[in-house]
Amino acid sequence: MRVNVTVNGEQRQADDVWEGESLLYVLRERLGLPGSKNACEQGECGSCTVYLDGVPVCSCLVAAGQAQDREVRTVEGLAEGDALDPVQEAFVEAGAVQCGFCTPGLVVAAHDLVNRVPQPSDPEIREALAGNLCRCTGYEKILDAVKLAAQKKSAR
Ligand code: FES
Ligand code: FES
């Protein structure tokens, strides 16, 4: 089947999508957007998090057909030209990236949080990121990054 979807503001089309193919697969393998990662492919780790109509979802759990005529925003769509989003900057500056496999999903989840809650508390950050697993950092630097991202956003 053919899937038409708006991705990062551009109308995109994927052909020969098989029933049951995930949005994650279409993004990575058909549309050339490998930012979203496929770690568990069963909704457990959050590394595939993207916005679907403005709501963060695990794209491995979304059938590509469900994205028909909808809007997807991936980690690649957060920067404005060469300027990183404040959340992306904060992850770099806080040293919240080690292997980086979890990072795209965490960045999207954190981006959603700081847009909804300008100054999130530690429990709010932990709650918002509870579906995103990281095997490397121990999460402390990730917490620091989200707090720094909130500061950066409020300063803009
Ligand atoms: S790859 Fe989607 S939740 Fe892990
Ligand atoms: S930085 Fe390696 S899994 Fe998070």
Side-chain angles (χ1 to χ4, degrees):
M1 68 180 167
R2 170 173 291 177
V3 174
N4 293 292
V5 57
T6 303
V7 183
N8 299 331
E10 276 180 41
Q11 187 62 46
R12 303 292 303 268
Q13 183 172 298
D15 284 321
D16 302 323
V17 175
W18 46 272
E19 286 175 28
E21 192 166 304
S22 70
L23 174 60
L24 176 62
Y25 186 91
V26 167
L27 291 171
R28 288 179 55 85
E29 307 297 336
R30 299 189 186 275
L31 300 181
L33 293 166
S36 314
K37 297 290 179 273
N38 52 346
C40 71
E41 295 193 86
Q42 51 185 351
E44 299 285 347
C45 75
S47 69
C48 62
T49 305
V50 301
Y51 284 109
L52 180 60
D53 288 343
V55 177
V57 296
C58 290
S59 58
C60 69
L61 294 184
V62 176
Q66 289 178 279
Q68 174 71 27
D69 297 329
R70 297 174 74 181
E71 295 213 7
V72 172
R73 193 175 179 197
T74 70
V75 70
E76 288 97 337
L78 300 185
E80 295 203 11
D82 288 340
L84 291 180
D85 181 88
V87 178
Q88 294 171 312
E89 283 178 358
F91 269 71
V92 174
E93 290 172 21
V97 181
Q98 287 188 24
C99 80
F101 214 81
C102 66
T103 308
L106 276 161
V107 165
V108 174
H111 184 271
D112 173 63
L113 173 64
V114 298
N115 278 314
R116 287 185 293 108
V117 185
Q119 295 296 330
S121 64
D122 280 13
E124 285 173 322
I125 298 171
R126 289 178 191 277
E127 169 77 23
L129 303 185
N132 293 79
L133 304 184
C134 174
R135 300 298 297 271
C136 305
T137 64
Y139 297 100
E140 288 303 319
K141 298 286 187 191
I142 292 169
L143 246 75
D144 292 346
V146 179
K147 288 185 241 179
L148 180 59
Q151 284 171 18
K152 283 173 172 285
K153 271 193 89 78
S154 62
R156 284 195 180 183

